[in-house]
């Protein structure tokens, strides 16, 4: 197939910077028994590098033309699935864990991919992912800083996150309007939190950041949490309800969530 024009609706900014590709491969630190999942292989610049390792690569591409072109390469170690990675059943997809997920993600789905990863985190050994720089900043942000938010508090309990390289727009075709960053996410052997109810933790974090200008208490009230429950949890945890959500450490969110999950929540 001759090169098609990049499709904006699929977030197609193709990476052509060889140095960045080198850094992605070396950060992946491939081992003989690794399996690779690539999301959005596009025309396959990164895919070719991945295949050069000799490891099995499973690639999911939404663009039928690009997916078909990759399938036509008939590579022994490459399996291409055509479809929307957010709609696929990841249990079915990740049949032979653990995987290393390596991807130059389309910006518009990066948070949703991370939430999927979170739900299947035991299937992953390492992730090397390209993000819009602002999203990368949010992932690594510490409490009390402007970028600290839902992504930070949902991902950091489970992953060590390191910057691999900052990537300027000129590394892509077409160049995006923003800077990008490659991050390495490695599952923590000892997670920062031990939660009784992870869904409740997520709901709490989302509620705490839903109204950033409000106090933690008011933000949670505004998100439907019952006053008596959260007041009891604040008091038992020794957390001042007048603080703002962004000042809470991950461990403080964890403590609140575990307290809340021991209370009788009644009907929801
Ligand atoms: N990996 C290639 C590279 O580095 O040049 C392409 C990266 S480009 C930023 C994102 C790729 O993800 C595109 O090929 C796009 O078609 C694909 N894509 C976008 N949304 C997708 C989705 N929901 N599921 C699977 N692939 C998707």
């Amino acid at each position: 197939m001759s090169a098609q024009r990049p499709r904006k609706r699929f977030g197609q900014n193709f990476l052509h910077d060889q140095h960045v590709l080198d850094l992605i491969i070396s950060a992946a630190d491939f081992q003989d028994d690794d399996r690779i999942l690539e999301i959005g292989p596009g025309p396959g610049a990164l895919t070719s590098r991945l295949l050069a390792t000799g490891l099995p690569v499973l690639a999911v591409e939404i663009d039928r033309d690009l997916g078909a072109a990759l399938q036509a390469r008939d590579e022994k170690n490459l399996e291409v699935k055509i479809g929307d990675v957010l709609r696929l059943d990841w249990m079915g997809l990740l049949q032979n864990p653990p995987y290393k997920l390596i991807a130059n993600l389309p910006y518009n789905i990066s948070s949703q991919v991370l939430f999927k990863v979170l739900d299947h985190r035991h299937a992953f050994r390492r992730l090397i992912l390209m993000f819009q720089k602002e999203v990368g900043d949010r992932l690594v942000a510490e409490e009390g800083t402007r970028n600290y938010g839902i992504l930070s508090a949902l991902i950091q309990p489970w992953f060590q996150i390191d910057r691999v390289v900052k990537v300027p727009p000129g590394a892509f075709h077409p160049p995006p309007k923003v800077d990008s960053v490659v991050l390495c996410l490695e599952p923590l052997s000892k997670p920062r939190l031990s939660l009784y109810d992870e869904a409740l933790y997520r709901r709490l974090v989302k509620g705490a950041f839903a109204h950033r200008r409000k106090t933690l208490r008011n933000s949670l009230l505004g998100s439907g949490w019952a006053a008596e429950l959260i007041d009891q949890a604040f008091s038992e945890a020794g957390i001042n309800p007048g603080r703002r959500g962004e000042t809470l450490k991950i461990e403080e969110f964890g403590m609140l969530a575990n307290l809340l999950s021991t209370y009788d929540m009644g009907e929801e």
Side-chain angles (χ1 to χ4, degrees):
M1 190 194 70
S2 60
Q4 74 176 33
R5 283 170 65 121
R7 291 179 168 142
K8 213 172 164 183
R9 71 177 184 283
F10 292 146
Q12 293 180 351
N13 299 100
F14 300 131
L15 183 61
H16 56 67
D17 186 307
Q18 299 302 315
H19 179 58
V20 174
L21 287 163
D22 288 344
L23 290 175
I24 290 175
I25 297 298
S26 74
D29 189 26
F30 288 119
Q31 312 295 317
D32 289 349
D33 61 344
D34 280 338
R35 291 172 171 276
I36 303 171
L37 172 66
E38 185 185 6
I39 296 175
L46 179 56
T47 320
S48 297
R49 297 296 197 96
L50 298 172
L51 287 168
T53 64
L55 295 168
V57 178
L58 171 61
V60 182
E61 174 56 60
I62 200 170
D63 185 314
R64 294 186 164 278
D65 297 325
L66 293 178
L70 270 183
Q71 281 170 337
R73 277 167 58 168
D74 205 17
E75 296 266 3
K76 179 166 65 76
N77 284 332
L78 176 63
E79 184 186 348
V80 182
K81 284 197 190 297
I82 299 179
D84 180 346
V85 75
L86 299 176
R87 287 171 179 265
L88 290 181
D89 163 26
W90 280 40
M91 285 283 269
L93 188 69
L94 304 169
Q95 294 254 339
N96 298 296
Y99 286 84
K100 284 188 175 165
L101 170 58
I102 317 291
N104 171 13
L105 290 177
Y107 298 139
N108 55 337
I109 65 164
S110 57
S111 300
Q112 292 163 80
V113 167
L114 281 173
F115 296 140
K116 283 278 198 185
V117 165
L118 210 52
D119 287 338
H120 300 88
R121 62 178 178 272
H122 300 296
F124 294 103
R125 204 175 245 178
R126 182 173 283 207
L127 297 87
I128 308 293
L129 300 175
M130 177 88 71
F131 295 101
Q132 178 177 343
K133 186 180 165 295
E134 281 68 24
V135 175
D137 289 344
R138 281 191 253 146
L139 279 165
V140 298
E142 293 187 9
E143 74 277 1
T145 63
R146 188 170 50 91
N147 290 318
Y148 185 65
I150 294 174
L151 273 184
S152 339
L154 293 190
I155 304 294
Q156 289 178 15
W158 320 107
F159 291 94
Q160 164 70 35
I161 309 172
D162 293 297
R163 266 199 194 88
V164 176
V165 61
K166 198 176 138 188
V167 186
F172 303 89
H173 170 72
K177 292 202 171 62
V178 292
D179 283 330
S180 304
V181 64
V182 177
L183 297 183
C184 172
L185 288 84
E186 181 131 345
L188 290 166
S189 52
K190 198 171 172 305
R192 283 174 68 179
L193 298 180
S194 170
L195 296 171
Y196 304 143
D197 182 343
E198 221 174 300
L200 185 149
Y201 176 80
R202 288 188 204 182
R203 205 153 61 79
L204 177 75
V205 165
K206 286 180 182 164
F209 288 106
H211 311 274
R212 280 187 90 103
R213 300 215 180 130
K214 295 189 177 175
T215 63
L216 179 59
R217 183 175 190 275
N218 284 343
S219 189
L220 289 174
L221 288 180
S223 305
W225 287 84
E228 56 277 24
L229 289 179
I230 54 172
D231 286 341
Q232 187 179 342
F234 289 140
S235 146
E236 285 194 53
I239 291 173
N240 177 350
R243 285 169 63 184
R244 291 184 193 277
E246 62 262 34
T247 68
L248 258 71
K249 288 190 167 60
I250 303 271
E251 286 72 15
E252 291 178 302
F253 276 123
M255 188 165 37
L256 280 179
N258 279 349
L259 283 167
L260 285 163
S261 59
T262 62
Y263 306 156
D264 178 9
M265 301 281 204
E267 295 283 297
E268 280 190 38

